[in-house]
Amino acid sequence: MVDVQVRTNKKVVQKCYLSGPAKESDFEVVVSDTVQLALPTGSTAVIVKNLYISIDPWNFSMKKDDSTLPLSVITGYGVAKVVVSGHKDFEEGDLVLGITGWEEYSLISDPNSLIKINYPDLPLSYYTGILGMPGMTAYIGFYEICAPKKGEFVFVSAASGAVGQLVGQFAKLTGCYVVGSASSDEKVNILKEKFGFDDAFNYKKEQDLNAALKRCFPEGIDIYFENVGGAMLDAVLLNMRLSGRIAACGMISQYNLEKHEGVHNLLNIVTRKLRMEGFFVSDHFSKYRKFEEMVVPHIKSGEITYVEDIAEGLESAPTAFVGLFKGKNVGKQLVVIARE
């Protein structure tokens, strides 16, 4: 007789250390594993059924000097349902947001890192994006680090992505002038027509990024939300205004390079009295409820919109991830494992 508490547990694992750009062959979808839906007596862990996983550039960036061995399950933010709980704050059926695995079921040994979902009436997929890590990243970087003021000039790179589209809309809510860069004309149109950016440009069509920024910001940039690094950062530094602020949450152009590109215009940080601050959003999740209180009314009123790029099935995760670095996604990239 089959034990009803045993389930198959399809998962995506890493086959090898990263060398150069990520490839689909770096991943393996394992279908032979099983999981027992039970915990030892006295355990405070929970077992969750994963519903949606967020596909982000940092999910798979291991170099040979990293301590995690290959063939480990890829981890990242996701939305899940609690199916077994040994923790007093979680019950079977609770919907949660937090770090989980690219697999059908995950054991969460420290449930204190999970956040209960307060608004199940909103699309659950939003908790991988606008109400998840990307939303918090946009909120912390823009409001907490850059401290925007009405009328300031804001530039967002990778602006059509999960974080950038929100930073631009936050900027407009604050009364700023905002310009974004993206990798295609389609994305540029989305920035201007759907997200309300004042202007946008396709950086792949610009032979001189410095000239493009001077065209868009003849008076200079007060706030730069940094997602790209490399040549874009170098050009931005030439166009920042006095006392400008730069929030650096990522540098996607550099992740898969064997040798990182140099930045040549750093002296402008001194001469223009700039403040540039890098941050990990994971250090700020104590402010999640404050962020949620701010953003949910804007979602419900339609003042903030959000675009998702949804891939179906766990086996589609490697392709979705590799596509991030080729600019194939339009909006927040996520994968549906199960809808309930």
Side-chain angles (χ1 to χ4, degrees):
M1 182 175 179
V2 178
D3 185 349
V4 296
Q5 293 300 312
V6 174
R7 299 285 187 274
T8 58
N9 192 27
K10 185 189 299 182
K11 58 183 63 177
V12 179
V13 301
Q14 180 178 321
K15 288 172 60 178
C16 58
Y17 291 113
L18 180 64
S19 178
K23 308 176 293 298
E24 291 178 42
S25 59
D26 294 330
F27 300 86
E28 181 179 351
V29 180
V30 177
V31 297
S32 57
D33 279 8
T34 59
V35 61
Q36 186 170 355
L37 302 185
L39 293 168
T41 302
S43 172
T44 59
V46 299
I47 298 174
V48 299
K49 178 181 180 180
N50 294 310
L51 305 178
Y52 299 87
I53 53 173
S54 176
I55 307 297
D56 301 297
W58 61 269
N59 286 131
F60 185 80
S61 58
M62 276 182 24
K63 305 294 184 181
K64 288 186 178 180
D65 56 355
D66 286 335
S67 59
T68 307
L69 294 174
L71 296 179
S72 57
V73 175
I74 309 295
T75 59
Y77 285 93
V79 175
K81 176 186 283 189
V82 175
V83 292
V84 180
S85 177
H87 196 285
K88 60 181 177 60
D89 294 334
F90 295 93
E91 298 179 357
E92 181 181 339
D94 282 348
L95 294 167
V96 294
L97 157 71
I99 294 287
T100 186
W102 287 16
E103 56 188 348
E104 292 177 302
Y105 294 90
S106 292
L107 171 68
I108 310 295
S109 57
D110 181 16
N112 292 314
S113 63
L114 298 175
I115 297 172
K116 281 189 183 180
I117 288 176
N118 277 347
Y119 296 93
D121 54 313
L122 293 173
L124 288 180
S125 60
Y126 277 17
Y127 285 88
T128 68
I130 188 171
L131 288 171
M133 181 273 290
M136 272 292 288
T137 301
Y139 173 82
I140 294 297
F142 187 64
Y143 288 112
E144 302 272 334
I145 292 177
C146 291
K149 304 178 188 67
K150 183 178 180 179
E152 289 193 309
F153 300 98
V154 178
F155 176 54
V156 186
S157 57
S160 67
V163 175
Q165 60 176 285
L166 293 173
V167 175
Q169 292 180 84
F170 290 164
K172 293 305 298 179
L173 287 173
T174 308
C176 297
Y177 180 88
V178 60
V179 177
S181 64
S183 62
S184 72
D185 291 343
E186 177 192 8
K187 293 178 181 180
V188 165
N189 289 335
I190 289 173
L191 291 177
K192 293 190 288 188
E193 296 173 9
K194 190 172 185 67
F195 300 138
F197 281 59
D198 295 289
D199 203 354
F201 62 88
N202 180 349
Y203 70 87
K204 290 186 176 180
K205 287 187 171 181
E206 300 290 344
Q207 297 190 3
D208 186 337
L209 292 174
N210 179 33
L213 291 171
K214 289 189 184 308
R215 181 181 74 237
C216 294
F217 295 101
E219 298 181 56
I221 300 167
D222 293 296
I223 291 173
Y224 173 42
F225 202 99
E226 167 68 301
N227 290 305
V228 172
M232 185 66 79
L233 174 59
D234 227 9
V236 167
L237 289 171
L238 292 174
N239 289 276
M240 293 295 294
R241 303 178 79 185
L242 281 175
S243 302
R245 290 88 73 203
I246 300 173
C249 80
M251 296 190 179
I252 193 172
S253 72
Q254 306 301 297
Y255 292 163
N256 290 330
L257 298 182
E258 289 295 324
K259 183 178 181 181
H260 292 163
E261 295 174 334
V263 177
H264 306 284
N265 297 317
L266 291 173
L267 182 59
N268 288 277
I269 292 177
V270 179
T271 59
R272 303 186 187 195
K273 297 184 278 190
L274 308 179
R275 179 164 61 85
M276 182 172 182
E277 183 175 340
F279 67 101
F280 285 139
V281 71
S282 56
D283 295 333
H284 299 272
F285 265 97
S286 60
K287 299 175 182 176
Y288 181 82
R289 295 304 181 197
K290 178 183 176 184
F291 153 71
E292 185 182 53
E293 183 180 344
M294 183 279 287
V295 77
V296 165
H298 290 306
I299 295 172
K300 290 188 172 183
S301 69
E303 292 174 282
I304 292 179
T305 61
Y306 201 63
V307 172
E308 299 176 310
D309 195 323
I310 301 177
E312 294 283 343
L314 187 58
E315 59 280 355
S316 68
T319 301
F321 178 80
V322 172
L324 286 180
F325 297 91
K326 298 178 180 179
K328 291 187 175 181
N329 61 301
V330 178
K332 170 61 193 167
Q333 184 67 69
L334 64 133
V335 169
V336 181
I337 300 177
R339 295 191 184 276
E340 270 297 336

